[in-house]
Amino acid sequence: QVQFVESGGGLVQPGGSVRLSCVASKSSFTFNDVGWYRQAPGKQRELAASIASNGRTSYPDSVKGRFTISRDNAKKTMYLQMNSLKPDDTAVYYCNRAPRPYGAWGQGTQVTVSS
């Protein structure tokens, strides 16, 4: 199964931006629909953005217009550009297959939006 390693999180002020990266362990990543999930303290994990193998993207209303997901299949890497961040975006961000995650989760990357 494909494994993922997330990076790029940190502390950012409200209204700021951050770019997350996710590297896949296998080239089969190219054929997978994948996405970024997030889990805030005390809440269930939710899908924040997804991108199909053909490049079609999908976002929930909570992040639409602020987040942009992309992928570079040659690098087996997926990205999440997050702009106009809000405190409600604070969470651990993970990547996995989407919309149905598969296998073990990576360690994720923490994004904290706070002044």
Side-chain angles (χ1 to χ4, degrees):
Q1 67 186 45
V2 179
Q3 296 180 321
F4 301 95
V5 178
E6 305 91 348
S7 64
L11 175 63
V12 60
Q13 292 188 341
S17 299
V18 68
R19 188 194 197 203
L20 308 182
S21 298
C22 170
V23 179
S25 61
K26 295 185 177 181
S27 57
S28 57
F29 164 82
T30 300
F31 307 106
N32 296 149
D33 297 347
V34 290
W36 284 95
Y37 296 78
R38 65 182 182 180
Q39 187 167 21
K43 295 186 178 180
Q44 288 192 335
R45 195 170 296 173
E46 62 177 3
L47 183 60
S50 63
I51 184 165
S53 57
N54 64 7
R56 184 183 70 249
T57 60
S58 179
Y59 306 92
D61 288 343
S62 58
V63 308
K64 195 172 294 184
R66 301 188 298 119
F67 289 11
T68 302
I69 189 171
S70 60
R71 64 192 298 167
D72 184 337
N73 289 333
K75 296 182 178 180
K76 299 181 291 183
T77 302
M78 176 172 61
Y79 304 98
L80 186 66
Q81 178 66 44
M82 306 164 63
N83 299 329
S84 302
L85 283 163
K86 306 174 181 179
D88 284 350
D89 296 318
T90 295
V92 179
Y93 285 73
Y94 304 86
C95 44
N96 206 317
R97 292 173 66 173
R100 293 182 178 85
Y102 179 80
W105 292 91
Q107 64 180 12
T109 186
Q110 174 73 47
V111 175
T112 302
V113 184
S114 175
S115 56

